[in-house]
Amino acid sequence: MGDLPFDDLKLVNSLCEKLTITVWRNGKIYEQDYIRGVPQHSVTSETNDSKIPHGTQILLKPDTSIFEDTQFSKEKLQNWINENHCELKGNVMIDERLS
């Protein structure tokens, strides 16, 4: 789902207590939730009545049984995105409420 390479997403998912992926594409909204890498349901889809025409949102909570420090650095994330995913189009937003 979405624009992240599959192996990258599998790795991130395996390191999270919870991960939710939402994709807006082709007039639909697709979503799937995971807990510690295990899907909690099949991919759901519904008609996209929102003002978001397309895009991908990934919400995650790092697994505290793996990581002592679960704080994100906006600067490090932005640098990683710029260096490794320059093919991302549009806006990349980092929720600062988590820092």
Side-chain angles (χ1 to χ4, degrees):
M1 280 177 38
D3 300 317
L4 277 179
F6 181 69
D7 287 338
D8 290 351
L9 188 54
K10 277 178 48 176
L11 176 62
V12 170
N13 192 12
S14 70
L15 299 172
C16 293
E17 283 181 23
K18 182 171 180 171
L19 183 133
T20 299
I21 304 170
T22 306
V23 177
W24 293 265
R25 182 170 287 152
N26 301 325
K28 297 251 186 204
I29 301 172
Y30 302 93
E31 189 168 272
Q32 191 164 30
D33 300 301
Y34 298 84
I35 295 179
R36 291 196 162 84
V38 178
Q40 298 303 294
H41 53 80
S42 298
V43 175
T44 61
S45 70
E46 59 185 63
T47 302
N48 183 1
D49 294 329
S50 73
K51 294 181 180 182
I52 302 170
H54 61 278
T56 302
Q57 173 180 275
I58 299 175
L59 301 174
L60 60 92
K61 179 180 183 209
D63 192 331
T64 55
S65 70
I66 298 171
F67 300 102
E68 288 181 20
D69 181 8
T70 59
Q71 296 297 311
F72 290 96
S73 163
K74 181 178 178 180
E75 182 180 327
K76 286 181 182 179
L77 285 170
Q78 193 64 58
N79 288 339
W80 181 85
I81 290 166
N82 292 339
E83 291 171 8
N84 296 292
H85 289 284
C86 56
E87 74 275 3
L88 291 175
K89 298 177 183 175
N91 295 320
V92 174
M93 297 189 312
I94 299 167
D95 189 341
E96 295 185 57
R97 294 175 295 176
L98 301 176
S99 52

